[in-house]
Amino acid sequence: MSLTQFSEPASRPLAEQHVLVIRLSAMGDVAIMAPVLNALLKQHPQLSVTLLTLAKWAPIFAAIPRLKTVPVETKGIHKGIIGLWRLSQSLKKEGFIAIADLHGVLRSRLLCFFLSLSGHKSARIDKGRAEKKALTRLENKIFKPLKHSSIRYGEVFAKLGFPITLDPSTVLSKPPKKPETTGADQSNFTTIGVAPFAAHKGKQYPLDLMIQALEIFSRLAGKDQKEIRFVFFGGGPVETPKIKALCKQFPHSSHGLSLSFEQELQVIAHLDFMVAMDSGNAHLAAMYAVPTLTLWGNTHPYAGFAPVFQTEKNHLLSDRITYPGLPTSVFGKEVPKGYEKVMESIAPAAVAEKMSALLREASAD
């Protein structure tokens, strides 16, 4: 991602510089936001942020100074209109005078409305819905790169009078290694994260092809001076037995099934590189500047959700010559007839070759 300046000015910065930021989900979108908030607070040292998000995402932001997370319980006390009203009243004590709505959904809009009754200024993300619809429709498609989500986030802060510059220096600092989490001594290994699953079928590379790719890569990497160690990420009743089987198949491998989210972040931050779908784990790795290879099916980086600061060479795309309607979806939910197997157009050998290139780069550092 090139250096980007957000400079849409407000009349002047707010007098009391404390902002409420709203972004509840999903994990990938929250992870993309992290370097943006890091840049915001580094470049505006007079500013503090209260972040309203799900409690489980709080570890992502633990090391960012002057940022406080406030958990929202969308299925509990903050559910429905009454719950959001209750939340708005409790938030007032935080002392902010402006709101950055980075979610732009009905829930966040209603919350902003309740807070506006007390005079709070707000700015809302422009999600570019019409552009994304034009990018993903099968007929009269407009195939061009759209704004990255991090840019859209930055524009919200510019509207409030806090322009920011995003570049690779704004990634998060890596948490310290802890032997009980990352292993006592991994100096003799090249550690590669593999997140072989995705939330939607339109983003899922067939597992048998991923296994083939890892086998080919392991053979290609056999001459390297360090042994390869895969760490597999995923969870849930469907993915868990598959991850355990992968660990048995590949020597020295491990998984994150028994780790807390905080511990998982520690492992991800210290990977040599990550291989993932268009999924949350890719964004978690990228926010720590971990080289990240992503495989794309019915979605596409042009929609603005590529991992931050990753070069285009780290994107492996399904074949648009065979499947000219790609992308068919922003999030991978929509899979038109005839597009169920688009990811099979990515050859395992191509995945292995890209992994080998990342390995050479990791070995050179």
Side-chain angles (χ1 to χ4, degrees), residues 63-123:
I64 299 180
R66 306 190 314 283
L67 186 151
K68 172 186 176 182
T69 56
V70 172
V72 60
E73 299 180 34
T74 57
K75 296 181 180 180
I77 60 173
H78 303 139
K79 182 179 180 179
I81 295 176
I82 295 176
L84 289 174
W85 171 258
R86 184 184 297 118
L87 176 60
S88 72
Q89 300 309 296
S90 66
L91 284 171
K92 290 179 182 179
K93 70 178 185 297
E94 298 296 332
F96 57 87
I97 64 167
I99 309 162
D101 180 4
L102 304 188
H103 208 153
V105 294
L106 180 60
R107 181 182 285 115
S108 62
R109 288 176 180 233
L110 189 56
L111 182 59
C112 287
F113 169 73
F114 288 150
L115 291 168
S116 72
L117 300 177
S118 302
H120 291 91
K121 175 182 177 179
S122 66

Side-chain angles (χ1 to χ4, degrees), residues 10-21:
S11 56
R12 62 179 181 177
L14 298 169
E16 295 178 63
Q17 300 192 337
H18 181 187
V19 174
L20 172 69
V21 176

Side-chain angles (χ1 to χ4, degrees), residues 198-363:
H200 304 293
K201 289 183 178 180
K203 302 194 292 185
Q204 176 69 59
Y205 192 56
L207 187 58
D208 62 324
L209 298 187
M210 177 59 78
I211 291 171
Q212 290 180 41
L214 296 181
E215 290 173 339
I216 297 170
F217 167 74
S218 297
R219 291 196 295 270
L220 293 174
K223 297 179 181 180
D224 190 76
Q225 61 181 356
K226 291 185 178 182
E227 293 193 75
I228 299 299
R229 173 177 176 257
F230 295 122
V231 182
F232 294 100
F233 296 95
V238 176
E239 297 174 5
T240 294
K242 296 178 181 178
I243 288 176
K244 290 181 177 179
L246 286 168
C247 288
K248 291 180 180 179
Q249 185 168 353
F250 293 96
H252 311 299
S253 295
S254 63
H255 56 71
L257 295 172
S258 60
L259 299 178
S260 68
F261 184 53
E262 182 179 5
Q263 291 173 324
E264 191 171 320
L265 291 177
Q266 293 167 8
V267 174
I268 289 173
H270 294 282
L271 295 171
D272 288 291
F273 64 88
M274 169 72 90
V275 182
M277 309 300 106
D278 170 20
S279 64
N281 282 298
H283 297 293
L284 294 177
M287 74 183 186
Y288 291 119
V290 174
T292 303
L293 174 63
T294 44
L295 281 60
W296 298 78
N298 282 278
T299 60
H300 196 282
Y302 276 13
F305 295 103
V308 292
F309 310 126
Q310 299 293 315
T311 63
E312 290 185 7
K313 68 180 182 179
N314 287 358
H315 305 153
L316 264 178
L317 310 178
S318 296
D319 185 4
R320 290 196 72 247
I321 296 177
T322 305
Y323 300 100
L326 293 175
T328 64
S329 174
V330 174
F331 303 111
K333 296 179 182 179
E334 295 81 13
V335 180
K337 185 178 180 180
Y339 281 72
E340 299 87 354
K341 297 183 178 182
V342 297
M343 292 199 82
E344 293 183 15
S345 66
I346 303 175
V351 179
E353 184 178 340
K354 286 285 188 179
M355 293 178 66
S356 296
L358 286 173
L359 176 62
R360 289 191 293 271
E361 293 175 10
S363 300

